[in-house]
Amino acid sequence: MSTTWEAVIGIEIHAQLLTRTKMFCGCELSFGDPPNTHTCPVCLAHPGALPVINREAIRLAIIAGHALGCEISERSVFARKNYFYPDLPKAYQISQYDQPICGPGRFRYLTPDGEQTLGITRAHLEEDAAKLIHLGAEGRRAEAEGSVVDFNRGGTPLLEIVTEPELHTGAAAAAFLKQLRQTLVHLGITDGSMEQGSMRADANISIRPAGTVGLGTKTELKNMNSFTFLERGITAEIARQTALVEGGGRVAQETLHFEPTTGRITSLRSKEQAHDYRYFPEPDLLPVVPDRAWVAEILAALPELPITRRERWMRDLRLTFEDAEVLADPPELGDYFEQVAALAPPKSAANWVRGDLRAQLRERDQEPWQSGVTPDALADIIAMAESREISMPSAKAVLTHVIDHGGAPRDVVAKLGLGAIQDESELMTLVDRLIADNPVQAQQMREGRDKLVGFFVGQAMKATQGRADPARIGELVRERVSAG
Amino acid sequence: MIDEHVTRHVARLARLRLTDAECDRMQAELSAILTYIEQIQELNLEGVPPTTHAIPMENVVREDEPTPSIPSELALREAPEVHGGGFAVPRMG
Amino acid sequence: MALTDLTAEQAVRAVTAGETSSEELVRAYLERAEHDDWHSFLAIDRDGAIDRARVIDAMPERPPLAGVPIAIKDALSTRDLPTTAGSRILEGFHPVYTATCVARLEAAGAVVIGKTNMDEFAMGSSCENSAYGPTLNPWDVSRVPGGSSGGSASAVAARQAPWSLGSDTGGSIRQPAALCGIVGLKPTYGAVSRYGLIAFASSLDQVGPFARTVRDAALLLQAMVGRDPMDSTSLEWPEPIVLPSAERLDGVRVGVIEELMGEGIEPGVRIACQAALDHVESLGGTLVPIRLPHAHHGLATYYLIAPAECSANLARFDGIRYGRRALDAEDLLEHYERTRGEGFGPEVKRRIMLGTFALASGYYEAYYGTAQRVRTRIVEDFEVAFADVDVLASPTSPTVAFPIGERTGDPLAMYLSDVCTIPVSLAGLPSLSIPCGLSDGLPVGLQLAGPALSENRLLDIAHALETAIGFDAVPAGVAA
Ligand SMILES: [Mg+2]
Ligand SMILES: [Zn+2]
């Protein structure tokens, strides 16, 4: 009988914090500036230079800790993590070790299957490494002739979040990471861009016979810079381990690299020996003991957490999981939606904001909250459509006009003559004429091909330039066809 | 005590190339020093907290306000080798 | 009287009163610094110093330090001036910024004339570990000046500078001050900013003055002390440093550290210190025998903590951003190992190895962790002692200046040079050495230490004792 295997996955996330300056010096954070234009003796590790903690990084870590459901440590300590690499100018990274700023907790998040939680081992502050550019060999390290270092990114504040190994599939890992990212972005902790590397995830993966509790040898999978790659990478690594073990082999503890274009997994092991980081408390920095009143003040000033907001929408506004998920991200969209939903039926508001509004704006590279369509205007359009003052196609046309030219929706309706034909006799005359003009289709309808009602509605909309109410036309067509 | 294997391992961790003669000598000297140092392992230190800073202080932070960086010419001025505005590093292997 | 015989305080007064100029003073000292029979200096900035002196002379009002020259230990970063920390690995290095303490002195009107020799990266007690050759003791050129700030001490003893800056991690100001017959002050940890001090052991390093009098040392400290936003461990100083003026020691209780007055202390040193301490009672103070039960573990503790910290602090010297690199390395690993293997001297390598070992996986608790706990015990010993006394006294060095080469083959013997100064360093306390007599024609230093932040009191007591001792010997080769 063959064993079935269960994967055990823990995730480590590094998120760059949205501070103005670096973690331990006053150099401004930059993206895309010429190399080595944002450096100073501190972040270049010149002899005698010393680090000083950025208070804003502490504040953001406290907020993140709260959102992760972690304890905020009463006392946290920075430590030196020692290893030589050209992107690490001091040859130690200032990080946190046995006393991180956020202690254990559980992160709560929503998935289509309902609420989930994932254990968070810790979250700690550290500094990012600099950027290495490999020369020749299309930027690949192994074959490169040499490399150059750009220290602009070196020293950027990072929050490293470590989860418990409680996940079992790549899909579950991706679902978690999506929700985590949304939370961190919503709270202004990070910009969350995985493509640009401001949020990076590594996965620790092992397999064990299903139903057992021990842990197998784990590998660390790096470089998955999108949710899709994370899911694909983990899935591929689980398959690799399973095939290896089933073939009588053993999993080696190593660091692996997922190559998204080929789906291949390669070992990152170089000829350097295993690391011994020799952590010890950073003597140049003093312990951080966050003042309780300060922590309370930070938390009091926080916006509603994304999960709370979505739960409220699903409960009070009867939104589906999917509506709530889409509308909550980014937070500005959620704010916009809430303003519309205060003036129009929430479900319609959700449909319009998610649907036509975003679709039309996307073609113009705009976002709802930055567009000329105020929540008031959209609520007016929704109200006119729902009361059948205008037809659905007209409503969309009004929206287009407001986007492109502005103006109040009611004025636009009047100006474009889009008001729905309310006069029943006018509609009746139209329907009768269409039946007369299309006797074949009318006859087929009588013989039971009810689908042809759509044909007549289409003709009616064409004839009225969208001013007819399609639902009413449909009713009238059925009535008159059977009457004829 | 510290043997040749440990000496070589530590030298590698510290990225120090030692000649064979240096390594032998280092091993002997470190062994002598450690023998002296190990006196403190005899002390009863149960419940004694470690001291990292002799003068206890905490919460020394700075505001998140930019200070001027240095021009890149100055950043690169002392580098033994520069390439295209960056610090040149030998082949990583 | 030659200009170079003036104390710094007298020189400030003379310039301020218009009796001489900064330029004259600077030229007089440059003359002596350039005839450097003792190898006190690694670099001299003649043109820059004269330019700055002229600027000060042209000011409508003299700044507090009036353009009086100063020599700076090469461990301190000085913008555009060669700074090597006595190491081959920093040969040719010109920093892009100036250490806070030096910048403060310059802002107060001091004129830097040059950089002084030192044991490589401040690791040593004899100045023989400089990659650029040893400094010689002005009292006897066959002997060491002490270390690591040997060049700063010999420069002042040899009248090549009226005062100078050194740094003290386990005794590197006090011990050379003792061996060169001058005053050397290690302030409370955090009193003077470490920003720009090339780190040896971050939790112990402290910058301080060498001078010919306690008042001069106080004057220099006054201009440097206090919080620096660039150094998280620098202290907000509670009160201004006052120039000491006490003549009596009425009511002062001086604790004599029993562990440091007996075995291991050269008889000539003990006798000179005892004689100096006799003045305490004649000045109205009392002597109290004090025990520091963990003091004799100080050395072992120090030789774990300092190397551990240095192993990380010196990791940045990798030949990528500054300093020397090994030529033609095949790959990165070889680049690192050869750059560092060729760039560092034997003592530096020894300490990096020791510290790397003490922190390594499997050894951390037994070595570094244990040392940190013993450090707690040592701190507590001092707390208990200072409940009973105002200052503690002991010899600064167990011996007078020793012959060049005597201890270079035996690291442990060299380490024992700092047995008296290290416990104070581990506790971060202020401490100074004053000359208290001669033994076989070589100077002896008396170490005084006080509680944290007690500099004013400590300087006052030292001043009263200094006056009573009246040490006025000058090295034979130096007398004008
Ligand atoms: Mg990390
Ligand atoms: Zn910087």
Side-chain angles (χ1 to χ4, degrees), chain A residues 278-351:
Chain A
R278 290 161 283 136
Y279 281 99
F280 74 102
E282 166 58 282
D284 288 331
L285 296 173
L286 297 158
V288 174
V289 183
D291 180 61
R292 289 183 167 279
W294 185 51
V295 174
E297 189 188 310
I298 292 170
L299 299 184
L302 281 190
E304 190 180 24
L305 290 179
I307 183 169
T308 318
R309 182 180 231 189
R310 286 167 54 187
E311 282 173 334
R312 179 167 57 76
W313 289 347
M314 288 163 69
R315 185 183 62 236
D316 299 349
L317 308 182
R318 302 259 149 224
L319 258 46
T320 62
F321 165 82
E322 213 211 329
D323 277 343
E325 183 180 40
V326 171
L327 290 168
D329 195 11
E332 293 89 342
L333 182 66
D335 297 342
Y336 183 91
F337 160 71
E338 293 217 278
Q339 291 172 48
V340 181
L343 304 165
K347 182 64 197 169
S348 310
N351 290 343

Side-chain angles (χ1 to χ4, degrees), chain A residues 12-14 81 83 93 95-96 124-127 158-162 202 279:
Chain A
E12 281 178 28
I13 300 99
H14 285 86
K81 178 181 182 180
Y83 64 95
Q93 180 193 36
S95 181
Q96 298 192 298
H124 70 248
L125 284 165
E126 59 184 31
E127 53 181 338
L158 290 180
L159 186 71
E160 177 176 335
I161 301 164
V162 182
D202 305 330
Y279 281 99

Side-chain angles (χ1 to χ4, degrees), chain C residues 178-197:
Chain C
L179 271 47
C180 289
I182 58 172
V183 175
L185 167 66
K186 181 203 91 79
T188 302
Y189 179 80
V192 178
S193 169
R194 291 184 295 117
Y195 189 72
L197 171 64

Side-chain angles (χ1 to χ4, degrees), chain B residues 6-7 10-18 22 26 29-30 32-34 36-41 43-45 48-52 54-55 57 60 74 77-81 87-92, chain C residues 79-80 93-95 189 203 227 232-233 235 296-297 299 303-304 319-323 325 330-338 340 349-350 352-353 356-357 366-367 370 372-373 375-377 426-427:
Chain B
V6 172
T7 308
V10 170
R12 169 58 58 85
L13 280 177
R15 297 292 186 273
L16 291 173
R17 176 159 295 187
L18 302 180
E22 269 184 303
M26 186 68 80
E29 285 168 346
L30 291 185
I33 295 165
L34 287 170
Y36 172 80
I37 281 173
E38 280 160 10
Q39 59 171 278
I40 62 170
Q41 292 169 353
L43 292 167
N44 177 9
L45 297 167
V48 180
T51 292
T52 300
I55 309 293
M57 288 202 293
V60 178
L74 193 57
R77 184 182 77 181
E78 300 296 317
E81 202 187 327
F87 297 85
V89 179
R91 211 167 56 81
M92 304 270 195
Chain C
R79 181 168 179 159
D80 299 334
F93 175 59
H94 291 74
Y189 179 80
S203 78
R227 168 115 185 95
S232 308
T233 62
L235 297 165
H296 59 286
H297 295 300
L299 204 65
Y303 277 98
L304 288 170
I320 293 176
R321 282 146 294 121
Y322 44 77
R325 66 159 58 177
E330 278 286 298
D331 62 17
L332 185 64
L333 183 62
E334 187 192 333
H335 162 86
Y336 280 139
E337 291 192 339
R338 278 188 38 221
R340 294 165 56 78
K349 285 190 224 177
R350 200 145 46 226
I352 291 174
M353 290 285 291
T356 305
F357 172 80
Y367 292 92
T370 301
Q372 279 198 314
R373 290 172 214 282
R375 188 174 187 182
T376 305
R377 285 287 194 230
L426 288 166

Side-chain angles (χ1 to χ4, degrees), chain C residues 202-214:
Chain C
S202 311
S203 78
L204 296 157
D205 294 344
Q206 187 52 204
V207 175
F210 287 98
R212 299 217 309 273
T213 68
V214 174

